[in-house]
Amino acid sequence: MKTLLKSEAATSPPAMTSTAAQNSFPVSHNVARMQTSATMAAMQAAEALRAAGVNVCDFGPGEPDFDTPDNIKQAAIAAMKAGRTKYTPAGGIRELQRSIIEFYRKTFGAEYQPAEVMATAGGKQAIFNAVVTLIDPGDEVLIAKPYWVTFPEVVIFAGGTPVFIETEETDFVLTPDQVEQAITPRTKLLILNSPSNPSGRVLPPADFRRIMELTSERGIFVVSDECYLRFVYPPAQVFSAASLPAELRSHLCIAGSFSKTYAMTGWRVGYALAPAAWTQAMLKVQGHSTSNTNSIAQWAAVEALNGPQESVTEMLAEYTRRREWLLRTLCDIPGITCATPEGAFYAFPDVRALLKNGLKTSGEFAQRLLEEEHTVVTDGAGFGAEGFVRISYATSMDQIKEGAERIRRLAEKILQT
Ligand SMILES: Cc1ncc(COP(=O)(O)O)c(C=O)c1O
């Protein structure tokens, strides 16, 4: 059990994974430098406990606990029955491309052309495509800490150098000044993620715009990961880089996803919106790797965008309720402080005041929580933020209440000893 929850990003060897070393498998240089995901490690820890019959409180999941809405499932069934089960163009069916373009036109007033949109196997593939088509060895890619685990790994895979921007002093909200200070002559790309996984923080629109001005003045490319776009809690505002003027979007790739918005994580549909030349390069990579994303899921995604949107509103209302309860409760636990997340479905509390009496790292805290209270959280070190843990509230209110009680019990125990 001990090894399961530890953030591998914080602990694994720099040159080659131990499995590869043991098997003498000649893993390629760049892949050898990649880390396995900390979020996957948390998921495995929860599964192992459950399999042993333990009553686990699982704050690990990075996916909605809701079912995919029925109208979307019905669209997939209809697509199958209609024989829409063959290859599609690598960039996706025209109906899906048009629906994505229409969504951005209606919602953000952005005019995208079909040559600037492609469907991908989740937002993750859009990010992968965008990075590998742009980055050469020696290129620097700016990534704000804490970051979603995949960002640095994709950059490393492409042979680039992740350059991390510390944001703790601004409560994990990236500022234009921080970006400006991190830029060097080798900076090729900046990856933005608002709302953020793991912090849930949201970039204020004015700062977002200023950052886009800074980068576009210098010809630096930007990937804006907007996978949590629709889960924003007022007074914070839903903001997409698509709403910026066209001249600020000439170096921009938006990575979007159906996974979180429509509870469709397993369907694997996302998209990239980028200038035509960048999209063409991404199509080349995708055409020679996965080809198109699943044809049936693409038809389901068309329904997701064009059908009733009540399910999104209902999910957001439920996340709002959970978030309020959880934040109030977390902030009341001795030794824990937590900045208010304005989006996504994560809280990212600071547990450093609990790192005492033998506990040195947030990984050890998470491990102790797992062993003594059977509660899974994800170690912040895996997201580049040692001393923090990620708590996902994409789980039922009952689980949240029970889990919060368990965290309180451990915190009180640590502080009493
Ligand atoms: C910040 C962020 N970006 C992108 C993704 C990718 O999601 P998907 O590939 O399922 O669309 C995730 C998934 O957890 C995420 O948290």
Side-chain angles (χ1 to χ4, degrees):
M1 180 62 60
K2 267 231 143 47
T3 52
L4 283 176
L5 198 76
K6 275 210 162 153
S7 152
E8 298 188 37
T11 56
S12 42
M16 188 183 266
T17 64
S18 54
T19 323
Q22 276 158 24
N23 299 342
S24 300
F25 180 76
V27 66
S28 68
H29 176 74
N30 288 348
V31 173
R33 292 169 58 226
M34 294 169 73
Q35 312 285 349
T36 343
S37 156
T39 50
M40 297 287 175
M43 205 198 285
Q44 281 167 10
E47 265 167 32
L49 271 186
R50 259 186 235 109
V54 174
N55 171 14
V56 183
C57 275
D58 189 358
F59 285 126
E63 62 180 346
D65 54 318
F66 302 103
D67 196 4
T68 306
D70 196 56
N71 62 311
I72 298 175
K73 290 184 183 172
Q74 292 306 326
I77 292 167
M80 273 189 280
K81 288 195 168 151
R84 291 170 160 164
T85 53
K86 304 286 170 58
Y87 290 130
T88 74
I93 55 176
R94 219 171 270 150
E95 289 79 352
L96 179 54
Q97 292 185 331
R98 278 205 205 110
S99 304
I100 294 167
I101 289 170
E102 184 51 21
F103 170 77
Y104 277 85
R105 198 191 58 73
K106 258 187 350 218
T107 321
F108 301 111
E111 296 294 340
Y112 278 99
Q113 304 305 315
E116 298 170 316
V117 56
M118 65 186 286
T120 55
K124 195 179 257 183
Q125 194 185 20
I127 296 160
F128 181 88
N129 288 342
V131 172
V132 300
T133 48
L134 189 69
I135 295 306
D136 280 318
D139 288 342
E140 291 182 355
V141 180
L142 301 181
I143 298 171
K145 278 185 176 181
Y147 46 76
W148 182 46
V149 289
T150 292
F151 297 149
E153 305 310 327
V154 177
V155 172
I156 289 168
F157 178 79
T161 306
V163 174
F164 298 109
I165 305 179
E166 298 290 344
T167 62
E168 198 191 328
E169 66 173 19
T170 48
D171 277 340
F172 297 148
V173 182
L174 182 67
T175 67
D177 278 354
Q178 289 164 346
V179 174
E180 195 161 19
Q181 281 166 27
I183 291 172
T184 76
R186 295 164 83 165
T187 307
K188 182 86 164 276
L189 174 68
L190 163 71
I191 302 181
L192 295 175
N193 175 217
S194 175
S196 150
N197 175 10
S199 72
R201 301 310 310 270
V202 167
L203 263 177
D207 282 1
F208 206 136
R209 186 189 175 107
R210 182 67 201 122
I211 289 171
M212 294 300 295
E213 285 167 357
L214 276 174
T215 50
S216 90
E217 280 158 16
R218 292 162 175 78
I220 293 169
F221 290 85
V222 175
V223 169
S224 177
D225 174 347
E226 301 185 359
C227 289
Y228 295 90
L229 178 69
R230 311 275 287 277
F231 295 138
V232 174
Y233 309 100
Q237 300 159 26
V238 173
F239 180 83
S240 168
S243 57
L244 294 169
E247 65 271 17
L248 292 183
R249 291 191 272 119
S250 64
H251 286 60
L252 170 73
C253 173
I254 290 176
S257 177
F258 290 79
S259 291
K260 321 285 174 174
T261 311
Y262 297 102
M264 290 177 71
T265 47
W267 298 69
R268 310 310 301 136
V269 200
Y271 52 89
L273 288 168
W278 199 351
T279 306
Q280 221 171 17
M282 293 197 280
L283 281 172
K284 199 171 11 164
V285 169
Q286 184 161 303
H288 287 297
S289 51
T290 59
S291 300
N292 57 277
T293 190
N294 178 302
S295 62
I296 300 152
Q298 287 187 54
W299 285 103
V302 170
E303 168 64 19
L305 279 178
N306 298 321
Q309 300 296 303
E310 280 79 11
S311 56
V312 182
T313 318
E314 281 162 21
M315 282 190 263
L316 185 59
E318 180 57 20
Y319 288 139
T320 305
R321 195 171 78 92
R322 295 173 186 177
R323 168 182 168 271
E324 274 161 23
W325 191 91
L326 179 68
L327 272 178
R328 217 176 330 117
T329 308
L330 277 179
C331 291
D332 192 45
I333 296 177
I336 291 186
T337 52
C338 189
T340 303
E342 303 104 330
F345 39 68
Y346 307 107
F348 200 58
D350 182 347
V351 297
R352 284 174 296 189
L354 295 173
L355 301 183
K356 45 168 62 175
N357 300 324
L359 278 184
K360 291 195 186 61
T361 64
S362 45
E364 288 171 7
F365 172 80
Q367 186 66 27
R368 206 161 147 199
L369 191 60
L370 179 70
E371 286 171 2
E372 293 178 26
E373 294 291 346
H374 302 148
T375 297
V376 179
V377 295
T378 310
D379 176 12
F383 305 101
E386 165 56 44
F388 291 74
V389 293
R390 188 189 76 173
I391 295 182
S392 160
Y393 49 90
T395 186
S396 73
M397 199 65 195
D398 285 350
Q399 281 282 299
I400 293 170
K401 287 187 172 166
E402 173 61 28
E405 204 37 53
R406 294 182 187 190
I407 295 172
R408 176 191 299 281
R409 215 157 39 214
L410 179 66
E412 285 172 352
K413 210 189 309 176
I414 291 168
L415 292 172
Q416 272 159 21
T417 46

